[in-house]
Amino acid sequence: EVQLVESGGGLVQAGGSLRLSCAASGFTFDEYAIGWFRQAPGKEREGVSCISSSARTTYYADSVKGRFTISSDNAKNTVYLEMNSLKPEDTARYYCTADLWPDGSCFLYPSEYNYWGQGTQVTVSS
């Protein structure tokens, strides 16, 4: 059974940093693309970043480029999202996603992913 468990969310002041973690289990980690999405109340789910199998490719939404960094630790089956220079508009529930893409692709479209975690809340105060 595929499981994705997010952690690391919380309340932070604008300009601060957080590191989100996504612990994965139940699948061959280095064959899957992992994505981070977020959803604020009343808004659609938005792709934030993704990392391909074997970490060959990473993508970022324009809104987070230069501030967020995605990385993976295959030994721990964990993907991280380092978030710096946080802004109030980054406030949302952040979700980890995964799906089988062994060719080194990843996508920032939620429809491309079948497996989702429960999410972790990030709140940035001004």
Side-chain angles (χ1 to χ4, degrees):
E1 178 188 4
V2 173
Q3 286 194 327
L4 301 167
V5 180
E6 303 96 333
S7 61
L11 173 64
V12 64
Q13 288 189 332
S17 299
L18 284 173
R19 188 176 79 157
L20 304 184
S21 299
C22 172
S25 61
F27 59 92
T28 305
F29 187 76
D30 61 4
E31 292 183 349
Y32 276 61
I34 306 291
W36 283 100
F37 287 74
R38 66 186 181 187
Q39 189 166 21
K43 294 189 176 181
E44 292 187 354
R45 194 163 290 191
E46 173 191 19
V48 175
S49 182
C50 67
I51 188 165
S52 68
S53 59
S54 301
R56 283 173 280 182
T57 303
T58 58
Y59 289 116
Y60 297 92
D62 288 343
S63 57
V64 306
K65 279 180 184 175
R67 299 189 298 122
F68 291 12
T69 303
I70 192 169
S71 62
S72 65
D73 185 337
N74 281 18
K76 296 182 178 180
N77 283 10
T78 300
V79 170
Y80 303 99
L81 186 68
E82 185 76 35
M83 306 187 297
N84 299 315
S85 302
L86 282 162
K87 305 174 181 180
E89 51 263 44
D90 294 318
T91 294
R93 191 163 186 84
Y94 284 70
Y95 297 88
C96 176
T97 69
D99 215 317
L100 179 63
W101 289 103
D103 64 350
S105 303
C106 75
F107 304 92
L108 291 182
Y109 305 107
S111 59
E112 298 292 343
Y113 296 89
N114 284 306
Y115 304 105
W116 292 79
Q118 294 300 307
T120 185
Q121 180 66 35
V122 171
T123 302
V124 184
S125 62
S126 57

